[in-house]
Amino acid sequence: MMLLDVKNLKTYFYSKRGVLRAVDNVSIGVDRREFISIVGESGCGKSTLAYSIIRLVDTPGKIVDGKIVFDGRDLVKLSEEEMRRLRGKEIGMVFQDPMTSLDPLEKIGDQIVETIIEHERVDKKEAWEKASILLEKVGLPGDRVNYYPHQLSGGQRQRVMIALAVSLNPKLLIADEPTTALDVIVQEKIMDLLEDMKKEDRAIILITHDFALAADRSDKIAVMYAGWLIEFGKANKLANEPLHPYSEGLIGSVPDVWEDRDIKPMLGFLPDLIDPPKGCRFKPRCPKAMDVCDKEPPTFSVDGRVVKCWLYGENNG
Amino acid sequence: MEVKNLATTVFKIPDVEGRWMVVSGLAMVCVVLIMAVFAPLIAPYDPTKSSGDVLSSPSAKHLMGTDNLGRDIFSRIIYGSRIVLMVVFSASFLSMSIGVPLGLISGYFGGKLDRAISMLMDSMYAFPSLILAIAIAAMLGPSVINAVVAISVVYVPTYFRMIRGQTLSLKSRLFVEAAKAIGAKDMRIMGRYILPNVVTTAVVVFSLSVADAILTEAGLSFLGFIVTAPTPDWGFELSAGRPYLPAGYWWMITFPGLMVMLLSLGFALIGEGLSEIYAPRRER
Amino acid sequence: MAEVIEVKNLKKYFPVQKSVIEVLLSKKIEYIRAVDDVSFKMEKGEVLSLVGESGCGKTTTGRILVGLEEPTDGKIVFKGKDVTKLSKEEFRKIRKHLQMIFQDPYASLNPKMKIGEHLEDPLLIHNIAENREAKELALQMLERVGLVPAEQFYNRLPYQLSGGQRQRVAIARAMILKPEFVVADEPVSMIDVSLRASILDLLMSFKAEYSLSMLFITHDLSVARLVGDRIAVMYLGKIVEIGETRKVIHHPKHPYTAALLSAVPSFLKREINIEIIGDVANPREPPSGCRYHPRCPFAKEICSKEEPKLEGKGHLVACHFPLDLDL
């Protein structure tokens, strides 16, 4: 059984202008000890997908339909209280900006201890010891428990966030653009740390806009565009031979340090999700568009990969 | 429904919170504006001449009663609105046209000039507005023009402080930097890049300071610094009616008082509403 | 080729904000040496990628070059003239040759000014064109940067444009003066990934058309490789390595450059793993000797004592023990 099995998930935002289909009919499975990257541009729905999984979508957003089966339970059906207990304990979350989730007036140690005591039956002393062990595990000296967030650098704060997220030993860790604000060298170290976290019998979901980073680090890559999951499969295969024209375009438009690439700009702009293009949402920008693309493509499975594109229609009938 | 459409289409007021404040404020102000513009058509009697019994209570003939000289209070209030609006508007425009440029210059250039102007403005701001206005009016002598000057001086620091603060934050913004990078001179940066971005604030401050200025005007008028008998003015009516209140002639002072409150409240609502509409997301 | 700009021993020190107590005790003023003795030359039509982590002084260097910041010391020679000695008014006159494109397209446009006016303003300021002629030029420029129909974009306000479109406006504004030298400060880092290539393409097309010299500031070595004829790597206010793009990337000499390279995510995995130790030092108290030595896995005694000079032929490096790698 999959650790996490998202089925036909729909998360919509309701605004005065209309309904924004941020996550539209997305299905994705995550196995135990798997490192999955969800790649896409801003507004493609990748963060909304992550927030939907831990059920932290704020109004006016709402999970409209679908299932999120985690470890045998459908999270969509859980009560708010059950969900609260599950967050942190079974699914940990690391956010892009650690400063927004760390309390600036409280010592690092206090914040970790609070989380531990809330969920586990340990006394304060034990919890403090655990906190400093956790910090050492994420590569910070144990005495940093006595520091305040502002005394740490951006990279160190992100380490603290990871320590917090894994403090209750969750089976799944979701990291939402954890290194976007950080420099490459710090990014590398944080990614190493995420890989270490995976070794502890844990699945990782990394949300990122950086295709190269995803290809470099993950087992599988899921590509999202305009609320759709358009391609999902093994990372090295997907990065080297992308099937969907969007994946292909995205990979072809980014330069690489190690080779002279002739980068090809992609056409057009991101669509308006309140009034998306009819049929395939990528059609207006797609160099390979056909007549059939006026209809929404189903999800085809090709060579162990799923792809939502009519180009692969024959293979599957 | 009607009001809502009017608000969006004619006055371009966004359909957001704070809008009801602006709409109801505008309604109150419009009542007084109409009174002032069409005074001769609305007023049933000559405001300066006796038109009935002395101190008669409100009735169908005299909606708000008559004063100690038998003049129709309703008519006096209608004509009085003209003086009030004229004094308050001219004073507020005057203080805006001094306060906004001063705030821009002071905030943009900074340094010693800024410190000197700020010090002066702060010392003026430290006085209660009415007391400062009385002091200036007393110095200049009673007349409508002197009252305008006195009131305008009082509100210059309000504009100055708000505009200076905004300029300070705007001048460190990237688009001002970008203007410098294309070679724009200081005057151009202030006029084309900063000023348009403080207009909303100036409008909000205008409404709020008009609301306050109405009270100051009433105060000055009460003390006889603006008009002399028999010219009607709300504050002046209040002072004329005050001796008669203990005897039970409540209408002489109640109606002018209510009018001062209505007009001031109207502007205050517009100001508060506008700041609520524009403050949280000035750009996006 | 003709030399367009030469930077000699450029320095910029910022005084450190002090707490009230420090002021009362009248402690000595401390400085952050944001840019500390930086020198380089650029030729006509050349793109130099300036690479480094946040806080290394790369943006400050760029800002000084276009006159948005005054250098503490050093010379900037633009076409044979030392521009640091010019008066404010004299500098304003040569400013049209020195333009800058900023990182954040959401903040670099005036929210209350039409797109068209943003493009006319530089023309009006430098008395290049007026009224109808200025509008005509602005419309042409809008078309040139792909904002069509130009008439429509002319009348829009910045909030009606996407980030990518705004950056096109910002590029158009800088290019409408036909400058000879442009500083592009991370021009694509805030743009959506799929639109980055088109923005870079646009910049490069202007470069070719005007034979521009461009200082391209970036933290992303893959972009630096793509656009730069040469690459300069900065660390804590100093250039530690500078040379032709291929040489710097495939034969890095400075351990810091190598560490950066091994950290860049790539589709093509290279087996290099040059370590970097700990975190960046506090710029208030930069390390003695070579500023990189506390983080360098190859550091020896001399590194903490003596500051290495930026030396070499064509490919310069500031290191006592330069690497010899072939990647």
Side-chain angles (χ1 to χ4, degrees):
Chain A
M1 197 180 60
M2 290 263 181
L3 175 66
L4 174 73
D5 199 3
V6 177
K7 276 186 193 149
N8 306 101
L9 184 71
K10 290 181 184 172
T11 304
Y12 293 174
F13 286 83
Y14 296 87
S15 77
K16 276 191 181 144
R17 268 185 63 222
V19 182
L20 190 149
R21 299 176 166 82
V23 172
D24 206 5
N25 216 1
V26 167
S27 300
I28 186 171
V30 181
D31 256 323
R32 282 159 216 280
R33 263 164 281 131
E34 205 167 37
F35 192 131
I36 289 194
S37 292
I38 301 177
V39 181
E41 295 176 83
S42 55
C44 73
K46 57 187 193 298
S47 290
T48 309
L49 175 59
Y51 283 83
S52 301
I53 292 170
I54 51 165
R55 291 238 330 250
L56 279 181
V57 183
D58 280 335
T59 43
K62 213 181 140 195
I63 297 176
V64 180
D65 196 14
K67 281 183 184 168
I68 303 169
V69 182
F70 177 80
D71 220 6
R73 277 167 301 170
D74 185 358
L75 301 190
V76 177
K77 295 210 177 83
L78 291 191
S79 72
E80 198 45 54
E81 179 57 28
E82 287 170 306
M83 204 53 219
R84 200 185 59 74
R85 262 181 276 143
L86 186 133
R87 273 182 223 126
K89 197 159 175 60
E90 303 196 37
I91 304 178
M93 182 96 184
V94 178
F95 301 92
Q96 180 175 341
D97 180 6
M99 255 336 221
T100 55
S101 16
L102 289 174
D103 182 347
L105 298 176
E106 235 185 305
K107 284 181 186 166
I108 301 296
D110 281 318
Q111 307 193 36
I112 302 176
V113 164
E114 249 170 52
T115 316
I116 296 174
I117 288 180
E118 199 174 308
H119 288 88
E120 281 176 15
R121 280 189 192 165
V122 289
D123 63 35
K124 243 194 159 153
K125 199 168 157 247
E126 264 178 276
W128 269 93
E129 274 164 22
K130 219 180 153 188
S132 73
I133 293 170
L134 270 168
L135 287 185
E136 274 164 26
K137 203 165 85 180
V138 297
L140 289 172
D143 66 349
R144 291 294 188 273
V145 284
N146 293 315
Y147 280 47
Y148 289 92
H150 73 267
Q151 293 172 295
L152 304 173
S153 70
Q156 289 172 329
R157 284 199 284 262
Q158 202 55 287
R159 283 171 194 268
V160 171
M161 277 308 295
I162 292 173
L164 256 171
V166 300
S167 59
L168 302 168
N169 208 13
K171 295 180 203 116
L172 173 65
L173 181 63
I174 303 177
D176 183 18
E177 304 251 15
T179 57
T180 305
L182 304 174
D183 284 309
V184 268
I185 285 174
V186 188
Q187 164 168 291
E188 191 197 23
K189 293 184 171 175
I190 296 290
M191 292 322 275
D192 286 347
L193 184 59
L194 281 183
E195 283 189 352
D196 287 346
M197 295 299 121
K198 181 191 143 186
K199 282 174 200 144
E200 297 183 342
D201 194 22
R202 189 173 290 131
I204 312 279
I205 296 180
L206 171 71
I207 313 282
T208 180
H209 63 272
D210 188 340
F211 223 121
L213 183 70
D216 217 5
R217 298 287 181 165
S218 40
D219 304 317
K220 280 186 183 169
I221 293 179
V223 185
M224 284 191 73
Y225 183 78
W228 286 357
L229 182 81
I230 53 136
E231 190 168 356
F232 180 41
K234 286 249 159 49
N236 50 2
K237 271 190 164 178
L238 200 152
N240 290 321
E241 299 160 41
L243 294 176
H244 197 286
Y246 174 70
S247 321
E248 194 186 341
L250 203 56
I251 293 170
S253 73
V254 294
D256 198 285
V257 243
W258 298 116
E259 62 173 3
D260 287 322
R261 274 191 172 199
D262 202 9
I263 60 161
K264 294 178 281 298
M266 288 178 79
L267 303 165
F269 300 106
L270 297 173
D272 177 359
L273 284 185
I274 289 178
D275 185 20
K278 295 274 169 303
C280 175
R281 291 185 181 170
F282 186 58
K283 195 198 167 198
R285 302 178 70 184
C286 185
K288 296 176 180 169
M290 307 172 289
D291 288 342
V292 66
C293 301
D294 287 331
K295 281 192 290 177
E296 180 179 334
T299 306
F300 299 109
S301 99
V302 183
D303 188 19
R305 242 186 284 178
V306 276
V307 55
K308 193 178 173 73
C309 176
W310 282 114
L311 282 175
Y312 305 93
E314 305 92 349
N315 299 13
N316 239 4
Chain B
M1 202 59 199
E2 288 283 283
V3 176
K4 206 175 166 184
N5 286 340
L6 192 75
T8 7
T9 52
V10 181
F11 294 103
K12 303 255 186 266
I13 302 166
D15 190 6
V16 290
E17 260 174 76
R19 154 192 177 127
W20 70 267
M21 287 206 259
V22 180
V23 173
S24 47
L26 273 174
M28 292 178 198
V29 171
C30 280
V31 168
V32 180
L33 271 178
I34 290 166
M35 271 168 53
V37 174
F38 300 105
L41 299 177
I42 303 170
Y45 304 100
D46 185 329
T48 54
K49 292 206 177 79
S50 170
S51 57
D53 294 338
V54 174
L55 292 170
S56 60
S57 59
S59 63
K61 201 173 159 227
H62 296 283
L63 279 177
M64 296 179 181
T66 58
D67 67 4
N68 55 330
L69 298 173
R71 296 173 299 197
D72 181 43
I73 292 180
F74 182 54
S75 302
R76 285 188 69 79
I77 281 181
I78 289 170
Y79 275 93
S81 66
R82 291 183 153 188
I83 303 268
V84 174
L85 287 176
M86 195 188 72
V87 170
V88 165
F89 272 130
S90 2
S92 296
F93 274 114
L94 197 59
S95 45
M96 180 158 70
S97 46
I98 298 169
V100 171
L102 269 185
L104 271 177
I105 291 169
S106 195
Y108 184 77
F109 289 109
K112 280 185 186 144
L113 179 76
D114 175 41
R115 228 172 291 164
I117 303 178
S118 295
M119 202 110 82
L120 179 71
M121 291 291 154
D122 282 348
S123 53
M124 280 163 68
Y125 200 76
F127 281 99
S129 51
L130 185 59
I131 304 220
L132 184 59
I134 291 171
I136 299 167
M139 242 159 36
L140 299 174
S143 86
V144 171
I145 294 188
N146 289 347
V148 168
V149 173
I151 296 175
S152 64
V153 169
V154 169
Y155 294 100
V156 168
T158 317
Y159 286 97
F160 172 81
R161 284 164 61 118
M162 291 296 286
I163 300 301
R164 176 180 171 272
Q166 277 234 302
T167 306
L168 274 179
S169 83
L170 282 165
K171 79 168 179 182
S172 62
R173 294 269 295 272
L174 193 59
F175 67 84
V176 171
E177 187 107 288
K180 284 184 195 155
I182 56 170
K185 287 185 189 166
D186 295 327
M187 284 309 285
R188 190 177 198 89
I189 292 177
M190 278 194 282
R192 261 175 90 76
Y193 289 82
I194 295 180
L195 182 62
N197 286 290
V198 299
V199 167
T200 342
T201 309
V203 170
V204 170
V205 175
F206 181 81
S207 306
L208 292 175
S209 72
V210 164
D212 204 71
I214 289 162
L215 303 181
T216 309
E217 193 269 356
L220 285 185
S221 180
F222 183 89
L223 297 170
F225 283 114
I226 301 183
V227 293
T228 45
T231 320
D233 183 11
W234 299 347
F236 197 55
E237 302 306 292
L238 285 172
S239 72
R242 196 180 51 91
Y244 298 94
L245 183 67
Y249 303 111
W250 55 271
W251 54 89
M252 263 190 87
I253 111 164
T254 304
F255 293 110
L258 280 176
M259 286 312 291
V260 169
M261 204 184 83
L262 176 83
L263 189 59
S264 179
L265 183 65
F267 277 106
L269 280 172
I270 295 175
E272 292 291 347
L274 284 179
S275 69
E276 190 137 311
I277 291 170
Y278 292 110
R281 8 151 242 141
R282 214 165 269 125
E283 269 85 49
R284 290 279 154 94
Chain C
M1 269 207 273
E3 203 174 280
V4 167
I5 207 157
E6 184 181 359
V7 176
K8 278 188 199 162
N9 308 102
L10 197 67
K11 286 180 186 163
K12 178 71 192 180
Y13 295 177
F14 291 108
V16 175
Q17 285 275 347
K18 289 194 295 185
S19 67
V20 180
I21 294 168
E22 284 173 317
V23 173
L24 289 177
L25 294 174
S26 61
K27 274 198 181 171
K28 216 174 68 193
I29 301 174
E30 278 184 72
Y31 290 96
I32 288 182
R33 295 190 240 170
V35 178
D36 200 4
D37 206 357
V38 161
S39 306
F40 59 86
K41 290 178 192 174
M42 283 178 70
E43 286 175 351
K44 194 172 171 64
E46 186 194 30
V47 178
L48 175 66
S49 294
L50 187 58
V51 178
E53 293 176 278
S54 48
C56 73
K58 55 188 195 301
T59 296
T60 308
T61 307
R63 288 167 49 87
I64 297 171
L65 289 187
V66 295
L68 286 175
E69 203 94 63
E70 295 219 353
T72 308
D73 195 15
K75 267 194 203 172
I76 300 165
V77 183
F78 175 68
K79 293 180 35 176
K81 220 194 259 170
D82 183 356
V83 296
T84 47
K85 292 220 168 66
L86 296 181
S87 73
K88 208 178 165 190
E89 198 45 41
E90 283 172 311
F91 186 76
R92 231 176 53 77
K93 279 181 193 142
I94 65 154
R95 181 150 242 169
K96 65 177 178 199
H97 303 302
L98 309 167
Q99 285 297 306
M100 179 146 181
I101 296 158
F102 298 90
Q103 175 177 11
D104 185 352
Y106 292 93
S108 68
L109 302 180
N110 181 355
K112 294 280 156 70
M113 216 157 104
K114 285 185 198 167
I115 297 306
E117 292 171 323
H118 277 96
L119 303 193
E120 284 173 4
D121 229 28
L123 301 173
L124 301 175
I125 289 167
H126 294 281
N127 298 317
I128 293 169
E130 268 176 54
N131 306 334
R132 200 174 293 160
E133 202 193 339
K135 181 168 182 183
E136 199 47 51
L137 286 171
L139 287 172
Q140 278 172 22
M141 199 49 157
L142 282 173
E143 206 143 311
R144 169 75 177 77
V145 298
L147 295 175
V148 282
E151 281 282 355
Q152 255 180 47
F153 277 98
Y154 182 94
N155 285 310
R156 285 194 192 156
L157 285 170
Y159 79 91
Q160 295 169 302
L161 271 59
S162 70
Q165 290 171 330
R166 288 188 208 200
Q167 198 60 305
R168 283 168 192 269
V169 175
I171 291 172
R173 171 173 60 187
M175 296 302 175
I176 203 161
L177 292 168
K178 300 196 164 60
E180 297 181 45
F181 174 74
V182 167
V183 172
D185 184 12
E186 306 249 17
V188 296
S189 69
M190 292 183 75
I191 310 290
D192 276 318
V193 186
S194 72
L195 305 175
R196 285 184 187 173
S198 58
I199 299 285
L200 290 174
D201 256 18
L202 183 67
L203 266 178
M204 289 304 121
S205 73
F206 276 115
K207 180 220 142 190
E209 188 183 333
Y210 300 165
S211 19
L212 267 179
S213 308
M214 190 173 352
L215 183 72
F216 193 99
I217 297 168
T218 179
H219 68 277
D220 186 341
L221 270 164
S222 13
V223 176
R225 176 196 181 114
L226 180 77
V227 299
D229 299 306
R230 286 192 298 152
I231 290 182
V233 181
M234 272 185 95
Y235 184 77
L236 281 181
K238 285 185 179 292
I239 290 185
V240 295
E241 183 164 4
I242 181 169
E244 274 174 41
T245 298
R246 302 194 123 263
K247 288 207 173 130
V248 172
I249 286 183
H250 293 281
H251 310 283
K253 287 183 179 169
H254 199 283
Y256 178 64
T257 313
L260 274 179
L261 281 166
S262 55
V264 182
S266 161
F267 293 104
L268 307 149
K269 287 202 175 153
R270 290 281 158 130
E271 284 311 314
I272 62 159
N273 206 354
I274 305 284
E275 215 192 328
I276 185 161
I277 302 160
D279 281 318
V280 185
N282 180 357
R284 275 170 88 160
E285 299 145 358
S288 60
C290 171
R291 291 188 182 182
Y292 187 61
H293 86 262
R295 307 188 70 191
C296 183
F298 311 109
K300 300 206 169 60
E301 215 189 323
I302 184 175
C303 299
S304 60
K305 290 187 178 142
E306 201 177 302
E307 192 175 327
K309 286 198 182 69
L310 187 64
E311 285 170 327
K313 245 190 162 181
H315 185 175
L316 287 74
V317 63
C319 181
H320 291 297
F321 307 100
L323 304 171
D324 182 15
L325 294 170
D326 186 10
L327 304 169

